[in-house]
Amino acid sequence: FDPFAHYLAHLDRTSAYRPHAPLPPKKNPAPAPQPQREEPIPESDLDFVFMKEKGDFWRVRMSDSETLVSDCKGLTYIHYLLRHEGDWVSSMQLLAATDPEAVEMEDRRRREQRQRIRDAQADARESLSYLSGSSSSYDSDELQQAKEFYEEELRDVQDQIKAFHKNVYNRISNNIRRSLENFEKALPELAQHLSDTIKYRGQEWLYNPPSGEQIDWTLG
């Protein structure tokens, strides 16, 4: 009689009646991590800053690129146009943003020139009417010479006004161009954007980027 073999046989007979503990559920293997795809940041979500700091500097920033630019009139013109995006702004408004007294002088000069035109036109009409009515004393050649004289005087005043407007345009455009050049090296894309979207028409200026290229500026 082998007691160890007898014990093993007893275990085999009784184990069939013992309840078995449930097997633990199978765990699904964790999915392998997928590489994150970086979506391009929309331009509207970038951080654009164009504001004057304390002192004589402007802070210009696009996303994480930033530069400080020395104060100048052109930066004030750009800032004014950005604040009035989509609106035509007169040259006088831009000049007033930097030098109100100069605008007052320019405006007075422009009024004087317009008055000179009205006076020259009135003098020409009156003189030619008088000469025409005194045809017995003046022949056709003298009338033609008088007419040419007054027309020349009128053209001279008009040329002065055109020169005045051209001078104002040159002052504003040159200041804006130099300002863009001051931060073009640090922020070339932003400088190009402003160069492409600031427009001129007659005596008015406009900042109006096309649809999809608008910028949410922080202007201070």
Side-chain angles (χ1 to χ4, degrees), residues 110 160-170 200 203:
R110 185 171 54 175
Q160 291 182 31
I161 292 180
K162 289 179 181 178
F164 164 77
H165 289 314
K166 184 177 181 180
N167 177 57
V168 171
Y169 164 76
N170 288 338
Y200 175 78
Q203 289 300 309

Side-chain angles (χ1 to χ4, degrees), residues 27-93:
K27 294 183 179 179
N28 295 325
Q34 298 294 323
Q36 293 288 335
R37 181 183 176 185
E38 286 193 13
E39 297 291 339
I41 301 175
E43 186 173 292
S44 59
D45 293 341
L46 295 178
D47 188 13
F48 291 88
V49 175
F50 200 105
M51 61 188 298
K52 190 172 184 181
E53 296 284 2
K54 292 182 180 179
D56 296 330
F57 292 93
W58 288 76
R59 182 157 58 99
V60 183
R61 184 170 76 225
M62 175 181 177
S63 188
D64 57 351
S65 299
E66 179 173 309
T67 186
L68 291 176
V69 187
S70 297
D71 186 26
C72 61
K73 291 181 178 180
L75 293 173
T76 303
Y77 298 153
I78 295 172
H79 185 263
Y80 192 94
L81 292 172
L82 297 182
R83 294 187 68 90
H84 296 82
E85 179 178 345
D87 297 330
W88 286 98
V89 176
S90 72
S91 297
M92 290 298 142
Q93 286 176 276

Side-chain angles (χ1 to χ4, degrees), residues 103-129:
V103 172
E104 184 178 347
M105 293 177 59
E106 298 286 5
D107 192 49
R108 182 168 60 249
R109 179 184 173 188
R110 185 171 54 175
R111 290 197 302 268
E112 291 174 353
Q113 289 174 331
R114 288 178 175 173
Q115 185 60 46
R116 285 185 60 191
I117 287 181
R118 288 192 290 268
D119 292 344
Q121 290 173 331
D123 289 345
R125 285 193 297 268
E126 181 179 353
S127 298
L128 292 175
S129 176

Side-chain angles (χ1 to χ4, degrees), residues 1 3 25 29 44-45 53 62 72 75 98-99 117 121 128 130 133 139 142 154 156 163 174 184 200 205 214 216:
F1 176 74
S44 59
D45 293 341
E53 296 284 2
M62 175 181 177
C72 61
L75 293 173
T98 59
D99 193 349
I117 287 181
Q121 290 173 331
L128 292 175
Y130 172 78
D139 58 27
E142 290 175 321
L154 184 59
D156 180 59
N174 289 338
E184 183 177 18
Y200 175 78
W205 298 80
Q214 290 90 351
D216 186 13

